[in-house]
């Protein structure tokens, strides 16, 4: 099934269930945070927009700094060992919270109202690749869902900011379990 048809099916199922539908979320099974020092840099929070009008993107410009603040705040509050650097590119504890927000045209994605957005949010600790192959992350968590501003009465940036805080707390909890 193509991604477009999958999203349409998800939209129809979500509409039938009466609201926002959680397609998937969860943490990786192989958390390897024992002894890890996490690293944050300016790219530790990233937001990508697909099909979102430029004016709406400007309105949502505070989302990236809010995600970064949520991540840094959770690490500090949870007393997680971490560093803030100009670049974490080669750091084993490189930490990145990213979200892709995609506008869903109400003519295609029926039942969500307009505006509605799908999103994929991921939190990863560890280098993206290494040594000629992909390295397993020390921690990975991802969520994807559809958010209807009309149905919830909440802007997507507020909803995603809240989810970013939850993911950051999940990372903190996982780190604390690995480092009692």
């Amino acid at each position: 099934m193509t991604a477009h048809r999958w999203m349409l099916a998800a939209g129809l199922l979500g509409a039938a269930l009466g609201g926002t539908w959680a397609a998937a979320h969860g943490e990786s099974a192989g958390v390897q945070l024992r002894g890890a020092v996490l690293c944050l840099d300016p790219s530790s929070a990233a937001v990508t927009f697909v099909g979102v009008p430029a004016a709406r993107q400007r309105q949502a410009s505070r989302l990236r700094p809010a995600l970064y603040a949520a991540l840094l705040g959770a690490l500090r509050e949870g007393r997680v060992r971490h560093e803030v650097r100009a670049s974490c590119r080669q750091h084993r504890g490189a930490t990145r919270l990213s979200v892709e927000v995609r506008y869903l045209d109400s003519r295609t994605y029926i039942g969500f109202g307009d505006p509605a957005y799908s999103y994929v949010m991921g939190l990863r600790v560890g280098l993206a690749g290494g040594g000629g192959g992909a390295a397993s992350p020390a921690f990975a968590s991802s969520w994807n869902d559809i958010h209807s501003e009309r149905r919830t009465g909440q802007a997507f940036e507020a909803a995603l900011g809240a989810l970013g805080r939850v993911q950051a707390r999940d990372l903190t909890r996982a780190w604390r379990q690995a480092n009692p």
Side-chain angles (χ1 to χ4, degrees), residues 88-175:
C88 295
R89 187 173 181 167
Q90 299 300 318
H91 195 285
R92 290 177 40 123
T95 303
R96 183 170 170 101
L97 176 58
S98 60
V99 63
E100 178 185 281
V101 180
R102 181 179 301 266
Y103 172 71
L104 301 179
D105 187 329
S106 63
R107 295 170 294 184
T108 304
Y109 298 95
I110 301 167
F112 291 100
D114 193 24
Y117 303 88
S118 67
Y119 64 86
V120 177
M121 179 180 283
L123 177 57
R124 179 185 174 104
V125 175
L127 297 174
S136 295
F139 175 89
S141 174
S142 67
W143 295 13
N144 62 324
D145 203 344
I146 295 173
H147 177 77
S148 171
E149 290 184 345
R150 176 166 286 168
R151 290 220 170 149
T152 64
Q154 183 180 44
F156 72 76
E157 53 266 42
L160 295 177
L163 290 174
R165 289 187 295 276
V166 170
Q167 276 199 318
R169 286 192 300 263
D170 288 348
L171 170 59
T172 297
R173 178 189 41 77
W175 190 92

Side-chain angles (χ1 to χ4, degrees), residues 4-150:
H4 174 77
R5 289 180 187 253
W6 183 88
M7 289 298 293
L8 183 57
L12 294 173
L13 178 59
L17 294 174
T20 303
W21 176 70
H25 67 275
E27 293 177 19
S28 61
V31 175
Q32 302 169 8
L33 293 171
R34 180 173 299 283
V37 176
L38 307 188
C39 186
L40 299 181
D41 68 14
S43 71
S44 289
V47 179
T48 306
F49 297 104
V50 179
V52 178
R56 187 64 178 90
Q57 290 182 39
R58 284 189 298 276
Q59 184 181 341
S61 64
R62 291 185 303 257
L63 179 56
R64 193 203 66 74
L67 292 174
Y68 184 88
L71 187 54
L72 182 58
L75 297 182
R76 286 178 176 164
E77 187 176 306
R79 295 192 298 266
V80 172
R81 286 189 304 162
H82 67 280
E83 302 174 344
V84 177
R85 295 182 171 191
S87 174
C88 295
R89 187 173 181 167
Q90 299 300 318
H91 195 285
R92 290 177 40 123
T95 303
R96 183 170 170 101
L97 176 58
S98 60
V99 63
E100 178 185 281
V101 180
R102 181 179 301 266
Y103 172 71
L104 301 179
D105 187 329
S106 63
R107 295 170 294 184
T108 304
Y109 298 95
I110 301 167
F112 291 100
D114 193 24
Y117 303 88
S118 67
Y119 64 86
V120 177
M121 179 180 283
L123 177 57
R124 179 185 174 104
V125 175
L127 297 174
S136 295
F139 175 89
S141 174
S142 67
W143 295 13
N144 62 324
D145 203 344
I146 295 173
H147 177 77
S148 171
E149 290 184 345
R150 176 166 286 168

